[in-house]
Amino acid sequence: MGASGWHYRAPFVGSVKATHRFVQAQLLSTGDYLWPWETFDPQYVAPVPRPRSLPDLEAAKDSENFWDAGTHSILDTHEISEAGSVGTIRPLSATELTEVFGTHQPSAADFDRVFQPGPSGPLADLMGERWTGRSLVLYHNGTPTEVFFWGFSGD
């Protein structure tokens, strides 16, 4: 199938971590994500039930099969971390923000000026390894208003 790029822009709900969980919960509630185990032959691959909640998602991630395919979405991540290891979302650094936006507190207008969907543009150049993501907070008059997440996951 190959990996997929994904991105989400959401209202800031107190912290990047809380916003990450909010986006994941919203995505689970809509069911708008790949769940390849529905098409696998259960004779060869043990089925993994489609999660409908964050605890269901965590249980699915405990399955060895989950990491063989993933959801090709932000659901393939589980924490916000500077480490950039599998399943993490790494926030842009102040240096990266300044290089891309000219400020360490970019506005929605700054973001809209820079963002290009797909595998090109300055944000795509900052992408990490497969099974990881990046994030940045958007501001209005010094107050966080939105978070943008993007990443690359799935097999």
Side-chain angles (χ1 to χ4, degrees):
M1 182 181 297
S4 300
W6 43 262
H7 64 272
Y8 304 88
R9 186 172 174 175
F12 184 82
V13 292
S15 69
V16 173
K17 181 179 180 176
T19 306
H20 174 249
R21 299 304 276 176
F22 170 80
V23 171
Q24 288 185 314
Q26 290 294 106
L27 190 56
L28 286 167
S29 74
T30 66
D32 190 21
Y33 55 91
L34 279 172
W35 198 250
W37 298 274
E38 293 170 335
T39 61
F40 292 164
D41 184 339
Q43 180 178 347
Y44 301 105
V45 177
V48 178
R50 180 181 274 270
R52 300 282 182 212
S53 67
L54 291 171
D56 289 349
L57 176 63
E58 294 309 315
K61 287 180 178 179
D62 286 340
S63 164
E64 187 176 309
N65 292 338
F66 180 89
W67 299 103
D68 289 339
T71 66
H72 298 245
S73 75
I74 197 169
L75 298 177
D76 294 338
T77 63
H78 57 268
E79 71 177 323
I80 308 301
S81 171
E82 297 294 329
S85 56
V86 170
T88 63
I89 291 184
R90 189 167 46 101
L92 290 187
S93 69
T95 301
E96 289 170 322
L97 288 166
T98 302
E99 287 174 1
V100 173
F101 298 103
T103 178
H104 65 279
Q105 290 189 346
S107 67
D110 294 329
F111 176 82
D112 292 339
R113 176 180 46 80
V114 168
F115 178 64
Q116 298 172 29
S120 61
L123 295 180
D125 293 344
L126 297 171
M127 180 60 64
E129 297 294 319
R130 185 184 298 199
W131 299 101
T132 67
R134 301 298 307 266
S135 69
L136 66 97
V137 177
L138 303 177
Y139 294 83
H140 179 74
N141 294 331
T143 301
T145 57
E146 295 178 281
V147 181
F148 184 73
F149 299 101
W150 72 104
F152 180 59
S153 63
D155 267 341

